[in-house]
Amino acid sequence: MRPDRKRVVSLVPSLTEAVAVSAPGLLVGVTDWCTHPAPELAGVARIGGTKNPDVRAIAELRPDLVIANEEENRAPDLARLRAAGVEVLVSEVRGLPQALRELDRVLVGALGLARPGWLADAESAWARVEPDAEWRAFVPIWRRPWMVLGRDTFAGDLLARLGVRNVYAGHAERYPKVAVAELAAAGCDLVVLPDEPYRFTAEDGPEAFLGLPAALVSGRHLTWYGPSLAQAPAVLSRALREAG
């Protein structure tokens, strides 16, 4: 570990898990949404949400580094942290290859850790992926209003590798709002419903698309880029097979 990076605050649940698994004890502050791994985070300070972190509380923790993400965290909050003299590393993740590079940049480059074994396991797991089938699908991430995965998303890239052809992958927006009637009429084979950020369940989501098979998938395995990536191909493939 780099001797100057002994106190880290993470504003990204995925990166929180990656750091906590790779270097227990390094984190001094995490967001309210950082849930894994629970034992390692039991005594770590909570500093608010990803969109509304308590900048003063973070500064008072005297971190050597704050880890953020350009999509999950707001630029004004990161600017305030920098103005308070805090070093901030901002990641960008739009697909699997970039996620693997960014994890290497954070863990090895910024924190000086040995490359963790789980990262190599994740690379190997995804390199072995062979889709069981192909499905035309859409992927809601919110309702009231309905929002779906559009272009250039990490989750969309994972699903594409597993055989899911997202009909909104060419949309101008990354997370477009689409009327439920349009979704139902999109001529798809499948609707993929993750349990985060909106918690879709068997009772909340599939009823809007009667007659269309619904794959209820783990949001953590679909949207988190960290240790869960090693298990994600098997977990997601199983959910797709069971639905389709």
Side-chain angles (χ1 to χ4, degrees), residues 62 115 131 162 205 210 233:
R62 297 177 292 104
R115 199 169 195 268
L162 296 171
L210 293 178

mmCIF file of all heavy atoms in Angstrom, residues 62 115 131 162 205 210 233:
data_model
loop_
_atom_site.group_PDB
_atom_site.id
_atom_site.type_symbol
_atom_site.label_atom_id
_atom_site.label_comp_id
_atom_site.label_asym_id
_atom_site.label_seq_id
_atom_site.Cartn_x
_atom_site.Cartn_y
_atom_site.Cartn_z
ATOM 1 N N ARG A 62 -10.406 13.613 7.467
ATOM 2 C CA ARG A 62 -9.025 13.785 7.011
ATOM 3 C C ARG A 62 -8.580 12.655 6.078
ATOM 4 O O ARG A 62 -7.535 12.025 6.291
ATOM 5 C CB ARG A 62 -8.069 13.893 8.194
ATOM 6 C CG ARG A 62 -8.294 15.094 9.081
ATOM 7 C CD ARG A 62 -7.379 15.127 10.273
ATOM 8 N NE ARG A 62 -7.675 14.056 11.218
ATOM 9 C CZ ARG A 62 -6.960 12.959 11.366
ATOM 10 N NH1 ARG A 62 -5.869 12.777 10.620
ATOM 11 N NH2 ARG A 62 -7.288 12.028 12.241
ATOM 12 N N ARG A 115 -2.325 -6.466 -7.004
ATOM 13 C CA ARG A 115 -3.524 -6.730 -7.793
ATOM 14 C C ARG A 115 -4.296 -7.887 -7.172
ATOM 15 O O ARG A 115 -3.762 -8.993 -7.037
ATOM 16 C CB ARG A 115 -3.150 -7.054 -9.232
ATOM 17 C CG ARG A 115 -4.293 -6.901 -10.226
ATOM 18 C CD ARG A 115 -3.772 -6.979 -11.645
ATOM 19 N NE ARG A 115 -4.775 -6.483 -12.594
ATOM 20 C CZ ARG A 115 -5.657 -7.274 -13.195
ATOM 21 N NH1 ARG A 115 -5.654 -8.566 -12.944
ATOM 22 N NH2 ARG A 115 -6.535 -6.762 -14.036
ATOM 23 N N PRO A 131 -22.864 -16.933 -24.749
ATOM 24 C CA PRO A 131 -24.306 -16.794 -24.544
ATOM 25 C C PRO A 131 -25.061 -18.085 -24.811
ATOM 26 O O PRO A 131 -24.768 -18.812 -25.760
ATOM 27 C CB PRO A 131 -24.699 -15.704 -25.549
ATOM 28 C CG PRO A 131 -23.439 -14.939 -25.795
ATOM 29 C CD PRO A 131 -22.343 -15.952 -25.713
ATOM 30 N N LEU A 162 -23.974 -11.452 -22.639
ATOM 31 C CA LEU A 162 -24.724 -12.644 -22.256
ATOM 32 C C LEU A 162 -25.838 -12.974 -23.250
ATOM 33 O O LEU A 162 -26.616 -13.895 -23.024
ATOM 34 C CB LEU A 162 -25.321 -12.448 -20.862
ATOM 35 C CG LEU A 162 -24.289 -12.285 -19.733
ATOM 36 C CD1 LEU A 162 -24.977 -11.887 -18.440
ATOM 37 C CD2 LEU A 162 -23.488 -13.564 -19.541
ATOM 38 N N GLY A 205 -43.504 -5.023 -11.176
ATOM 39 C CA GLY A 205 -42.791 -4.878 -12.444
ATOM 40 C C GLY A 205 -43.327 -5.760 -13.539
ATOM 41 O O GLY A 205 -43.805 -5.250 -14.576
ATOM 42 N N LEU A 210 -47.715 -7.992 -19.217
ATOM 43 C CA LEU A 210 -48.338 -9.310 -19.222
ATOM 44 C C LEU A 210 -48.076 -10.029 -20.547
ATOM 45 O O LEU A 210 -48.164 -9.438 -21.622
ATOM 46 C CB LEU A 210 -49.844 -9.179 -18.985
ATOM 47 C CG LEU A 210 -50.252 -8.668 -17.588
ATOM 48 C CD1 LEU A 210 -51.758 -8.527 -17.501
ATOM 49 C CD2 LEU A 210 -49.713 -9.587 -16.494
ATOM 50 N N PRO A 233 -21.332 -13.477 -14.340
ATOM 51 C CA PRO A 233 -21.772 -14.224 -15.525
ATOM 52 C C PRO A 233 -22.683 -15.395 -15.183
ATOM 53 O O PRO A 233 -23.713 -15.608 -15.838
ATOM 54 C CB PRO A 233 -20.454 -14.693 -16.155
ATOM 55 C CG PRO A 233 -19.433 -13.737 -15.658
ATOM 56 C CD PRO A 233 -19.862 -13.376 -14.273
#
